Amino acid sequence: MRFHAFNTFPPFGRRVDIHEMEDNTMPNKSSRRRQQGSVSPGRLLVSEPTRRQEWANKTVPEILADYQPGKAPPLKVLEVLLELFNTLHTSLEKTVSHKTRYERAQFLRRFFRDLKAKAGFNTIPDPRNLGQKHIHAMVLVWQREHLAPATIQTYLSFLRGLGMWMGKHGFVRGPAHYGLSLEEYQRHEYAQRDKSWSAAGIDIEELIERVCAYDRYVGASLRLINAMGLRRKESIQFRPFEHVLPFSETGLPLDHKTADRYVRIKGKGGRVRFVPLDSPARLAAVDLAQGLVRNQDAYLGDPVNDLKKNLRRFDYVLEKFGITFRELGVTAHGLRHEALIEHFEALTGQPPPVRRSGDLPAEVDQAARQAVAELAGHSRIRSAGAYLGQSVVMRSKLTNHPSSAAMLIKDQDRTQRPPMTGDPIQLG
């Protein structure tokens, strides 16, 4: 059987063969970046979910022709667009996580309802008739509601995706075009305060012990987060036996060896990292987890629940013990901050800038930040700044070269994409 892919708006509705498209629209086959043509890419990957049977031999314009503007309910048209495109990443040749699909769909549905409920429009527009006046009006609503800069950036990113689905590349402009000030849309890439549990005056060991006594699975997850800086979901999906490997099976260079055994963690975007079991805390956390699971390939979460229920249970237990911003001023993610800050201190001998430390030699600071970024499961060294604060080197660069700050902000705006997995509001 030969598979076909359909360009969203092919000339004269012509069907485009996937082999022809590879030759003509993907000149750099080593790149995963989606080619930004004049039209939306449509269904490109054979691995993507198939369309409805009645859509199988239709192009996207032919499908949408059955939903004429002014006659079809706008929210029904939106659901059709979501069904066609919501699995796609807006810039890469890949699908997005279920979390991103859910959050993007929920936002777009709410956006169109709020145009009438909050922005003062008499009717909800057809998504294909969405105009700049609608976005301007909703930005004013977001300003009145004092949404966080990262939230506004995420919302605009979702709208850019909607524009691409309809073949309107560049339809959604930069935040400044809609009257947003720098303070209203600029993300804080670097930690402005210490979010760790110890900074909030919490006795970490005592609190985790109390959680363990109430729910051993959630308590074991907290110990893994505290020992290795895992994300909440990573700790629940951790398989205490299957994910512990000898160094020889990690594929890491020999000069990287710091322990006999390593933990394999698959994080955001499918990125895999290996954490050495090189401390008593890490060994104890893994031993505790191994004592809870029923068999060699089981994950740490309660086996009677699926992942979704285990995530809910985790949140419920933490709320019960006051581990929220409202009660204790911290979340489970703060325990991840704790682990990464401690890792930086162990490497450098002094606290990071977020704890008001003194200056470090640039090469020492950069090497430690690289190690922290790798432990956290990020690919860029500057990601460490979300936990450690801004380095003296970066502060001096931005102070001495004001244009550098502007270029950094411009670059952040240009590269901003919908979140993959993890929190949309803060760096995961």
Side-chain angles (χ1 to χ4, degrees), residues 219-336:
S221 287
L222 291 179
R223 290 212 177 275
L224 288 170
I225 296 171
N226 188 40
M228 291 181 272
L230 305 188
R231 299 178 177 93
R232 174 192 64 157
K233 186 176 179 181
E234 291 171 347
S235 69
I236 293 173
Q237 291 184 308
F238 176 62
R239 298 178 186 269
F241 288 100
E242 187 176 314
H243 290 170
V244 176
L245 309 171
F247 175 78
S248 59
E249 295 183 16
T250 64
L252 298 173
L254 188 59
D255 58 356
H256 282 52
K257 182 178 180 180
T258 59
D260 293 328
R261 294 189 299 159
Y262 280 68
V263 166
R264 181 184 184 274
I265 303 296
K266 186 175 182 180
K268 283 185 177 181
R271 289 189 294 268
V272 174
R273 66 188 187 275
F274 294 93
V275 180
L277 296 179
D278 56 359
S279 70
R282 290 178 179 176
L283 290 168
V286 170
D287 287 342
L288 175 62
Q290 289 180 342
L292 293 179
V293 296
R294 296 178 178 179
N295 50 62
Q296 295 288 314
D297 62 348
Y299 58 84
L300 179 58
D302 190 335
V304 302
N305 296 329
D306 58 17
L307 175 61
K308 187 175 182 179
K309 290 182 179 179
N310 274 319
L311 289 170
R312 287 179 179 174
R313 174 66 178 179
F314 183 95
D315 294 339
Y316 167 78
V317 172
L318 264 62
E319 186 173 354
K320 182 177 180 64
F321 283 85
I323 306 173
T324 63
F325 278 124
R326 180 177 297 179
E327 295 291 329
L328 296 177
V330 297
T331 65
H333 206 74
L335 204 54
R336 174 170 158 89

Side-chain angles (χ1 to χ4, degrees), residues 11-116:
F12 311 109
R14 180 173 65 86
R15 189 164 67 179
V16 182
D17 185 86
I18 194 168
H19 302 290
E20 175 187 347
M21 183 167 55
E22 287 177 351
D23 294 336
N24 296 335
T25 63
M26 300 181 185
N28 182 8
K29 295 184 180 180
S30 63
S31 174
R32 298 175 63 218
R33 179 79 46 188
R34 189 187 300 289
Q35 299 301 312
Q36 301 294 337
S38 59
V39 295
S40 185
R43 184 171 179 263
L44 293 178
L45 303 178
V46 174
S47 61
E48 291 174 16
T50 57
R51 294 174 178 172
R52 301 182 196 173
Q53 186 175 0
E54 61 267 30
W55 292 354
N57 294 317
K58 290 184 177 181
T59 63
V60 170
E62 290 171 344
I63 294 172
L64 293 176
D66 295 333
Y67 304 88
Q68 297 182 12
K71 295 184 178 180
L75 294 180
K76 176 63 176 178
V77 176
L78 177 62
E79 292 302 322
V80 172
L81 291 169
L82 289 170
E83 186 172 346
L84 288 169
F85 297 113
N86 198 30
T87 60
L88 294 176
H89 196 281
T90 55
S91 64
L92 301 179
E93 298 291 355
K94 58 179 286 186
T95 57
V96 297
S97 69
H98 291 284
K99 181 176 185 295
T100 298
R101 299 176 200 181
Y102 174 79
E103 291 174 348
R104 184 159 56 186
Q106 289 295 93
F107 163 75
L108 290 173
R109 292 168 184 144
R110 186 173 64 251
F111 176 85
F112 280 93
R113 290 196 300 266
D114 286 349
L115 284 171
K116 183 177 181 180

Side-chain angles (χ1 to χ4, degrees), residues 148-157 182-190 192 408-409 412-413 415-419 423-427:
T151 304
I152 291 177
Q153 286 276 19
T154 299
Y155 286 177
L156 291 176
S157 182
L182 191 64
E183 294 76 16
E184 290 175 310
Y185 71 83
Q186 182 184 1
R187 292 173 181 263
H188 294 298
E189 185 177 8
Y190 301 100
Q192 306 298 303
L408 178 60
I409 295 167
Q412 290 172 347
D413 180 55
T415 59
Q416 182 60 43
R417 304 293 178 198
D423 296 335
I425 305 305
Q426 64 180 349
L427 180 62

